[in-house]
Amino acid sequence: MHISEGVLSVPILAAGAALTVGFTAQGLRSMKAEDVPATGIVSAGLFVASLIHVSLGPSSVHLLLNGISGAILGWAIFPACVVALFLQALLFQFGGLAVLGVNVMDMAFPGLIFGALFRLLFVSRGKWALLLGGFLCSAGGVILTALMTAGVLALNGEGFMAAAKLIVWAHIPVALIEGFVGAMAVLFLAKVRPDMIGRKQGELL
Amino acid sequence: MKKIAATLALMVLLVSPAWAHKVCMLSSFEGDSITGEAYFSTGDPIVGSPVTVESNGEEIGQGKTDENGAFSIAIPKGVLSAKVTINAGMGHVAHEDIAREGAPEPSTATEPQAKATAETSVPGVSLEDVKKAVASEIAPVKKMVMDMERAQSKPDMPKILGGIGYIIGIVGAFMWGRSKRV
């Protein structure tokens, strides 16, 4: 989900950049020294996820992994996303430097929300709650990202309903795939590193 | 450690068959029209997307890509440079600025020259025939250039590994900074 360079007007770009700076500062403040390696690994995951590509008729969509990233990192998803998207813009010319702020908000904010929901509602309620939560939050992250992207394009002048329909439809298969990936990832983490989703060893399974 | 290695290996395996998207376009002047091709960085053609042509800030033509991602848009005579824009939807847009390089515009400026060549040329061979012959001769070269552009627009393994390397470096720098402060 990358909006290209030269699509959005300057006020939208500025607003996106300002929000991203604020949220990233909060993310950096919240990070403890022991969170840094996890943030790096998630950042690498976000960086490669955009290369996992689902070909769908005329459009081209890819995995985001923002829901599961938010569940692991919380606020630190912002610095992770900034690094990942900056490198994608630089190395692959996906998105661009001027739209970096908007693209980071589109991706990291749903991750933050659904990650928090996951930790609040689904953790510590048994294996099935974990699987369901992993699925719903990963899929939800993708859908909210699609809606936010549509919203940004709408602010810029494209009709919201048309843009939203197109983007959400295109992302339903991605949401389903991500849901499965997210559920598997959560189960794996609960077994191996429950501290990464906020619990001590033995508390979850 | 083994698990991290396994995860990384899995990532690399997952990545190899499928690359993500960026809008790419190649276009050029051809007589009184602009022709070109649009595709995602995966190499898939962009089908049925609007293409517009602007010159000096004014729209002078528009069209759509066909099922192969190709487009051809008629433009008024006398246009020497243009900005071609493709909108593949969902915020995916690419621009290209093109100009008639070197060669002056065929229909107006070359008239006297065309007359001169017509006088000296072999009877029975018209300028149109020559143009067609040249076009068919350079078609394979054009295709080769397009294929090369396509190959270049895909993210390749060194860039992917380089990106991961940057991230490891940033993590290292960050941890180093934190450890010095304590």
Side-chain angles (χ1 to χ4, degrees):
Chain A
M1 186 53 66
H2 304 81
I3 298 178
S4 308
E5 203 87 273
V7 177
L8 300 176
S9 60
V10 174
I12 299 177
L13 294 176
L19 283 170
T20 295
V21 167
F23 278 91
T24 307
Q26 170 62 27
L28 287 172
R29 257 202 302 277
S30 78
M31 273 166 70
K32 294 190 267 317
E34 63 264 30
D35 298 333
V36 177
T39 311
I41 289 173
V42 171
S43 185
L46 291 169
F47 172 72
V48 238
S50 75
L51 300 170
I52 301 169
H53 172 85
V54 185
S55 205
L56 272 169
S59 72
S60 106
V61 287
H62 56 72
L63 291 189
L64 302 177
L65 300 183
N66 56 348
I68 180 76
S69 303
I72 296 170
L73 295 180
W75 281 99
I77 189 179
F78 275 89
C81 229
V82 167
V83 169
L85 293 189
F86 175 75
L87 288 170
Q88 283 171 358
L90 215 62
L91 295 171
F92 306 148
Q93 286 87 47
F94 292 171
L97 295 183
V99 282
L100 188 64
V102 174
N103 283 335
V104 169
M105 279 310 292
D106 277 355
M107 201 159 146
F109 187 73
L112 180 70
I113 298 294
F114 279 96
L117 280 179
F118 172 76
R119 284 192 175 211
L120 202 68
L121 299 178
F122 295 100
V123 168
S124 300
R125 303 240 163 110
K127 188 180 167 187
W128 292 107
L130 272 179
L131 277 175
L132 184 69
F135 182 87
L136 289 180
C137 291
S138 297
V142 175
I143 297 296
L144 185 56
T145 295
L147 284 173
M148 283 179 69
T149 308
V152 169
L153 292 174
L155 282 177
N156 203 53
E158 282 189 44
F160 177 75
M161 281 319 286
K165 258 187 207 158
L166 191 69
I167 296 181
V168 172
W169 276 117
H171 279 81
I172 282 175
V174 187
L176 293 177
I177 297 170
E178 281 227 17
F180 280 110
V181 173
M184 290 304 122
V186 162
L187 201 62
F188 176 75
L189 287 176
K191 273 183 192 145
V192 183
R193 291 292 301 271
D195 54 313
M196 281 184 85
I197 45 176
R199 288 297 185 275
K200 289 197 185 66
Q201 193 81 39
E203 263 183 29
L204 286 179
L205 291 172
Chain B
M1 212 44 226
K2 252 186 199 165
K3 279 194 179 109
I4 294 174
T7 316
L8 279 179
L10 187 68
M11 276 179 178
V12 171
L13 281 179
L14 275 173
V15 163
S16 50
W19 313 97
H21 58 194
K22 173 185 137 198
V23 176
C24 307
M25 175 177 51
L26 286 167
S27 54
S28 58
F29 282 99
E30 249 183 55
D32 284 333
S33 61
I34 288 177
T35 58
E37 260 185 75
Y39 51 93
F40 289 108
S41 51
T42 47
D44 298 327
I46 300 174
V47 180
S49 287
V51 181
T52 52
V53 180
E54 284 170 75
S55 183
N56 300 323
E58 269 178 74
E59 190 175 304
I60 55 169
Q62 56 178 316
K64 272 193 169 192
T65 57
D66 65 11
E67 67 275 14
N68 296 318
F71 57 88
S72 175
I73 296 163
I75 50 164
K77 288 183 179 173
V79 175
L80 293 179
S81 67
K83 181 183 180 191
V84 187
T85 307
I86 174 148
N87 186 347
M90 297 198 257
H92 295 139
V93 170
H95 307 279
E96 193 179 19
D97 289 308
I98 56 172
R100 287 188 195 273
E101 278 151 30
E105 213 208 339
S107 48
T108 55
T110 53
E111 213 99 52
Q113 208 185 334
K115 254 182 210 157
T117 44
E119 275 162 17
T120 52
S121 65
V122 187
V125 180
S126 73
L127 198 61
E128 281 307 305
D129 290 337
V130 175
K131 274 189 186 163
K132 262 185 211 157
V134 171
S136 69
E137 280 297 315
I138 64 167
V141 180
K142 246 182 149 177
K143 192 178 175 307
M144 206 169 82
V145 172
M146 290 220 170
D147 288 346
M148 274 163 70
E149 288 266 347
R150 264 170 206 235
Q152 269 203 338
S153 60
K154 285 183 186 179
D156 52 358
M157 201 42 93
K159 280 187 180 170
I160 296 166
L161 294 177
I164 293 171
Y166 274 113
I167 292 171
I168 293 171
I170 293 167
V171 168
F174 213 80
M175 290 181 80
W176 192 47
R178 291 267 166 132
S179 71
K180 283 223 153 172
R181 229 178 281 161
V182 178

